[in-house]
Amino acid sequence: MKLFHIALAGFLGLAAFAGSAISAAATDLLTIQLKDGPVVIQLMPEVAPKHVAQIEALAKKGAYDNVVFHRVIDGFMAQTGDVQYGNTTKGYDAAKAGTGGSDLPNLPAEFSKVPFTRGVVGMARAQDPNSANSQFFIMFADGDFLNGQYTVVGKVVSGMELVDKIKRGEGQNGEVSNPDKMVKVTVSKK
């Protein structure tokens, strides 16, 4: 009987360790420091592994730091991530912001059944579904019309009230004059 209790205790300890190891490895976080504070995004590598890996690689090398929110449409979304033309400290070009990408290759679409709801983060792309590169957007509101058309990469889990404060753009396309920017972008595991 004593041996059974020892074995049971060992099994429960191993199960608890394995459970905590799984949950520790399960959450990739992207933190965007805005002028008003941090926005934390839980990335979804299980949904879009190639897109998440590319975002993490760009964030780790500092490519997203000082990149503007070049397209912001009230009631819809805030778009950023043009590391080629949108960086206010490295070659910023307001006229071209939103047309560039990164030095990494474009990605094949990783569409999923995750719906575009408030706080969801999706990858921006051109007409070609396989043209996403570095740009992404954060939803201000639900956008069912995007479901199955754009790759979902994550969801805001903290700081959505700060996303709501991002300076809005003008006109139908939401171009922003004197735009807000991502001050610093980091990756961590929870």
Side-chain angles (χ1 to χ4, degrees), residues 36 95 148:
D36 295 319

Side-chain angles (χ1 to χ4, degrees), residues 68-87:
V68 300
F69 285 90
H70 63 272
R71 183 172 180 239
V72 184
I73 301 173
D74 194 37
F76 180 30
M77 59 88 216
Q79 186 172 330
T80 185
D82 183 344
V83 301
Q84 185 176 5
Y85 300 118
N87 188 319

